Every structure is written in structure tokens, then in C-alpha cells.
Amino acid sequence: MIQLKQVSFGYKRRHKLFSDLNLELSRGSIVGLLGRNGEGKSTLMKLITGQLLAQGGEVRSLGISTQKRPAKLLQQVFMLPEEMTTPRLTVREYFDIIAPFYPTYDEQIANELMQAFGVEWSWHLGKISLGQRKKAMIALALSLRTPILLLDEPTNGLDIPSKSVFRQVLAKYSSEEQLIIISTHQVRDLEQLIDHIVMLDANRVVCNHSIAELSERLHFGVLTPDNSARVLYREGSIMGEYGVWPADEQAEEPGNFSMELFFNAMIASPEQVKNCINH
């Protein structure tokens, strides 16, 4: 569904953010795009949608090259940026402008999302809070039903109840025909939804695996004398010491996957963790 082959891109001529970047993703997943600030997560999403053009290599979404930004591609991808710029219109007026460009838009789902988030069609986008605008734009993104949907830090600006609603509606209104990519630092907000991880480090893809695959190879939890000798990463907390260690082939069940521990382990001990994953 998405293919990047030997892609290079940089905002400055002498400095490449990406060089020979390769990535493939298929439909039917909610992908967590992880990485530290400056790794190029938002840039990668813009390359996938054709908002930025690769300076080398090839980017194909839905089998279509993004280079010429054809209409048949643009109407099937949508990206909700972290920082939103909205016109001075009501929510209803804004939806009426955007929706006709997307043949998969579903008005019934839009109404249900408005109700779930407590958003009024009559609200003026220029006069409501950031959190209220964010809820309206999330409702738009989900109701467009595009085969490829990209959400950049969607939970930023949402209060705790709204984050809960977001998780509920994303689970309810996503489909197996979609590929949803979510860039986030708020991993605990989305841990129950994400089933695949793509991680960038040093501007390279260092992980492109399903949660199921990672859970088969790694265990996460409280460190004990039995597992501490094999630990790949450890960190302290008021509840004790937690860590990541290679999965025991004799274990009856895989341990509970922790996205936060996995991310921290990949930053602290990348080669050890990657060797364990690829073993």
C-alpha cells in the first residue's frame, strides 16, 4: 500500500534528513510512528501524502507515484497535521468545503463523531479552543474514510475524557481496508490501538514490525533474579525496576507489550534489541 525505495530528502542542500530510506506498509494496520524530535516523522508523513516530494528514490502510495500528485491519489489520502490552520468558518461550512474532494466521505459517521466528541456544527473554528478544533478536525479525518489516513500527534491538545473518546472512535470507525499511521510521543494514549510499529532513529527506519512479532521476541515487566541477568534495558520506578529482555522460548505466554519500554530500549540499546528482534 505504501512503498518508499531508496528515498532521499533534505530541507538543506548539503544536509539530507533521509538517505536511501526504505519502507513498506500494507493495509489493515494502525501503525505507530515513533522517534525522537527531529527524526523526520512529520516529513515522512508528508512524503507519503505527496505534500513533499522525494529528491531521490521513489515514493508510491496505493501503487501510485506521489511525484505528480494525481487527483486519484490525493482523494485517497488524508493527513491531519499536529498544528492545524483552519479558516474563519463554522464546522459545518468547513466540512462542506473539504468533503466533496473525498468520494469515501460518510456524512452519517461525521454526525456520529460530532455527537461522540460533543462538537456542534454551528461552532466557529476561529472562536473555539484548540482542543475543540482538534476534536472537530479528528471527526473530519475519520469521516473521510480514506484508504490511507495519517494523524500527526492527534491526542495533543485533548483533555483526558476526549483522549478516551478518540481511542473509542478510532477503534470503531477504522476498517481493515485502511492503513492508519499515527505519529505520537504520547504512547500510553494509544498503546491499546496500535498493532504495528515503525520507528525512526538517526533518520533511519530501525523497526518495522507488528506488535505480535515484537511480543514473540521480547518480554516486558518487573525485573526479577530470574530475568535480570538477560536484561537488554532497565529503568527504575516507584513500583520497582522494569525492563526488557529476550523472550523465553519455554514461556507459555508472551509478556504484555510496553510501547514506552520498547521505545526507551531501542534508544538506549539499539543494537542489542535489534539483534534480539531479528534473531
Side-chain angles (χ1 to χ4, degrees):
M1 198 170 210
I2 290 177
Q3 289 183 319
L4 286 82
K5 295 182 178 179
Q6 298 182 308
V7 169
S8 61
F9 178 85
Y11 292 100
K12 298 180 180 179
R13 182 174 299 178
R14 295 184 180 180
H15 176 72
K16 292 294 184 182
L17 182 62
F18 296 132
S19 295
D20 296 325
L21 185 73
N22 296 286
L23 178 65
E24 288 194 21
L25 293 170
S26 302
R27 72 180 74 233
S29 291
I30 299 179
V31 177
L33 178 57
L34 309 181
R36 291 175 287 188
N37 290 336
E39 291 293 349
K41 299 186 298 299
S42 297
T43 299
L44 176 58
M45 298 172 89
K46 291 177 180 178
L47 287 167
I48 291 170
T49 58
Q51 295 180 42
L52 293 174
L53 301 180
Q55 295 161 353
E58 183 180 33
V59 181
R60 300 184 73 84
S61 296
L62 297 165
I64 303 169
S65 173
T66 63
Q67 198 68 22
K68 295 184 179 180
R69 292 170 48 84
K72 64 180 180 179
L73 170 63
L74 298 181
Q75 66 184 10
Q76 297 185 81
V77 299
F78 184 81
M79 176 179 171
L80 180 64
E82 179 182 5
E83 297 182 3
M84 304 170 298
T85 301
T86 53
R88 301 181 64 82
L89 298 170
T90 66
V91 175
R92 178 74 271 172
E93 290 169 336
Y94 188 64
F95 272 56
D96 287 344
I97 289 173
I98 300 298
F101 291 99
Y102 297 89
T104 49
Y105 171 72
D106 191 315
E107 177 72 9
Q108 179 178 340
I109 289 177
N111 279 305
E112 292 173 5
L113 289 165
M114 289 287 122
Q115 185 175 2
F117 278 118
V119 175
E120 300 290 338
W121 287 109
S122 59
W123 284 357
H124 196 286
L125 290 170
K127 298 179 181 179
I128 58 178
S129 69
L130 171 62
Q132 291 171 325
R133 287 200 305 275
K134 197 67 172 278
K135 289 187 284 188
M137 293 302 99
I138 290 173
L140 172 65
L142 293 178
S143 62
L144 292 178
R145 309 286 286 169
T146 51
I148 297 176
L149 174 62
L150 302 100
L151 306 173
D152 195 356
E153 298 289 353
T155 58
N156 279 5
L158 297 182
D159 57 24
I160 293 174
S162 298
K163 289 179 180 180
S164 178
V165 172
F166 172 73
R167 290 191 293 267
Q168 294 171 24
V169 298
L170 185 62
K172 180 177 180 179
Y173 294 109
S174 60
S175 78
E176 294 183 356
E177 298 304 311
Q178 286 181 296
L179 170 61
I180 300 176
I181 302 176
I182 304 176
S183 171
T184 183
H185 290 102
Q186 310 297 324
V187 292
R188 292 185 181 180
D189 290 343
L190 301 169
E191 194 163 34
Q192 302 303 315
L193 290 171
I194 289 171
D195 56 28
H196 195 101
I197 288 179
V198 170
M199 183 170 171
L200 298 176
D201 190 40
N203 306 116
R204 297 177 294 111
V205 175
V206 295
C207 176
N208 181 17
H209 294 281
S210 70
I211 298 294
E213 291 172 328
L214 295 174
S215 296
E216 289 179 354
R217 294 167 173 81
L218 299 169
H219 271 243
F220 304 79
V222 178
L223 294 182
T224 67
D226 292 334
N227 58 42
S228 60
R230 299 186 294 132
V231 70
L232 302 171
Y233 170 79
R234 66 177 71 212
E235 63 180 45
S237 76
I238 59 174
M239 301 297 291
E241 196 171 27
Y242 287 78
V244 182
W245 62 94
D248 184 351
E249 294 181 359
Q250 304 302 318
E252 294 182 358
E253 296 181 359
N256 292 327
F257 183 83
S258 169
M259 197 176 304
E260 184 172 349
L261 279 175
F262 174 74
F263 177 82
N264 292 339
M266 284 292 291
I267 295 298
S269 306
E271 294 306 319
Q272 288 179 287
V273 178
K274 283 190 289 185
N275 287 340
C276 183
I277 293 171
N278 295 325
H279 177 65

